[in-house]
Amino acid sequence: MRFDVLTLFPEIFSGYMTQSLLKLAIDRSLVELNLHNIRDWSRDKHHSVDDRPFGGGPGMVISAEPTVEAVEAVQATDSEPGHLVMLTPQGRKLDQPLVEQLAQHKRLLLLCGRYEGFDQRVSDILKPDEVSIGDFVLNGGEVAAMTVIDAVIRLVPGVLGDEDSSRFDSFSHGDRLLEHAQYTRPREYRGLEVPEVLLSGDHQQIARWRQENSIQRTSQRRADLLPEKNKGKNDEPRNS
Ligand code: ADE
């Protein structure tokens, strides 16, 4: 899977690229990540990429010309132009089904905005898939792009050591339940015991406990995710 990130701040990605699961995936050639600075396509002698908004108002708007030219040039570096995603709070909201959709593409171009966003003509010309990671405003699209990359690479075959571990994550099931509680050693900590059933070795009972725990958690924390059949089940309020 190939990612190309277009940003004014490529350095933001350096820690993430050299530390995480992403680094392992890159080292194993499962994922390729290329960073491009939109400023390199500025034709201005000061290398400026933004300007004041027409009509007045605060902040700066990223200009259409360097952005469109950057995207077109980066698209042309591969026979597969790729699926263009613009990270913006105005986009459709990212969730696991959208992550799964994005993971179908062999190549994703992630366009990160800053300031007051891009000149509208960037969207009019390039028609990107506009994606938001939630109803809040970040200082730029870079953290959102990392979020997309982080979620998508989990679905790239071979990236996770244990092939099962992404399938059993919250939201990966058809019924979108939250993940059940997990425990590791010690068996008792500050008076809190690991549920007996998890120590029993009875895989059927363990699977049943986990399913019930998932439904209970989902009903307490995110009842909006529950299929009708499970609504109202185990829904005592949470302590924390
Ligand atoms: N840029 C600024 N805020 C954002 C958000 N919530 N999602 C995606 N990109 C953004």
Side-chain angles (χ1 to χ4, degrees):
M1 170 117 203
R2 172 173 174 172
F3 296 94
D4 288 90
V5 179
L6 295 101
T7 166
L8 290 169
F9 297 96
E11 307 77 23
I12 292 177
F13 290 82
S14 56
Y16 174 50
M17 281 183 74
T18 54
Q19 295 297 328
S20 57
L21 190 74
L22 175 61
K23 180 186 178 333
L24 284 177
I26 292 171
D27 289 348
R28 290 158 66 204
S29 303
L30 298 168
V31 170
E32 180 183 336
L33 173 53
N34 305 298
L35 300 172
H36 311 275
N37 193 332
I38 298 168
R39 201 174 292 283
D40 294 344
W41 278 269
S42 169
R43 297 199 183 174
D44 186 276
K45 70 171 187 293
H46 303 293
H47 293 290
S48 67
V49 285
D50 56 1
D51 212 333
R52 290 188 305 260
F54 277 125
M60 300 291 272
V61 176
I62 305 177
S63 311
E65 190 182 46
T67 310
V68 171
E69 293 189 6
V71 169
E72 287 175 347
V74 169
Q75 281 175 325
T77 60
D78 197 306
S79 55
E80 156 78 64
H83 180 69
L84 178 62
V85 173
M86 178 195 280
L87 287 313
T88 161
Q90 275 100 50
R92 54 181 175 146
K93 217 188 289 176
L94 190 70
D95 57 11
Q96 193 64 24
L98 178 50
V99 169
E100 283 165 16
Q101 230 175 292
L102 294 175
Q104 301 295 312
H105 297 276
K106 282 207 207 82
R107 184 181 183 201
L108 289 179
L109 277 73
L110 302 172
L111 181 56
C112 305
R114 281 265 147 180
Y115 321 121
E116 298 306 310
F118 293 101
D119 184 306
Q120 176 56 35
R121 288 164 294 185
V122 171
S123 287
D124 296 345
I125 293 167
L126 297 172
K127 306 206 168 19
D129 184 358
E130 298 190 13
V131 171
S132 164
I133 63 161
D135 291 337
F136 40 80
V137 181
L138 302 167
N139 290 319
E142 288 76 11
V143 170
M146 281 189 251
T147 304
V148 169
I149 295 168
D150 216 78
V152 166
I153 61 166
R154 296 175 59 76
L155 304 181
V156 172
V159 166
L160 295 183
D162 177 355
E163 278 301 306
D164 277 344
S165 52
S166 81
R167 278 196 291 116
F168 289 106
D169 279 353
S170 295
F171 305 123
S172 295
H173 308 278
D175 52 1
R176 303 206 312 150
L177 295 176
L178 298 184
E179 199 182 346
H180 54 79
Q182 297 275 24
Y183 296 86
T184 185
R185 292 191 298 171
R187 285 179 176 209
E188 188 252 293
Y189 178 65
R190 296 197 180 188
L192 298 174
E193 309 248 1
V194 175
E196 199 61 43
V197 58
L198 300 180
L199 312 172
S200 67
D202 182 336
H203 297 297
Q204 244 182 336
Q205 290 289 351
I206 291 171
R208 188 171 310 143
W209 182 89
R210 286 180 164 164
Q211 170 76 4
E212 280 168 10
N213 187 265
S214 279
I215 294 170
Q216 183 182 17
R217 282 187 149 197
T218 312
S219 123
Q220 289 168 343
R221 300 171 189 212
R222 291 292 309 276
D224 57 300
L225 295 175
L226 277 181
E228 285 304 317
K229 65 179 182 350
N230 293 320
K231 282 223 165 98
K233 237 194 217 182
N234 302 318
D235 54 359
E236 317 87 59
R238 294 169 65 195
N239 300 326
S240 53

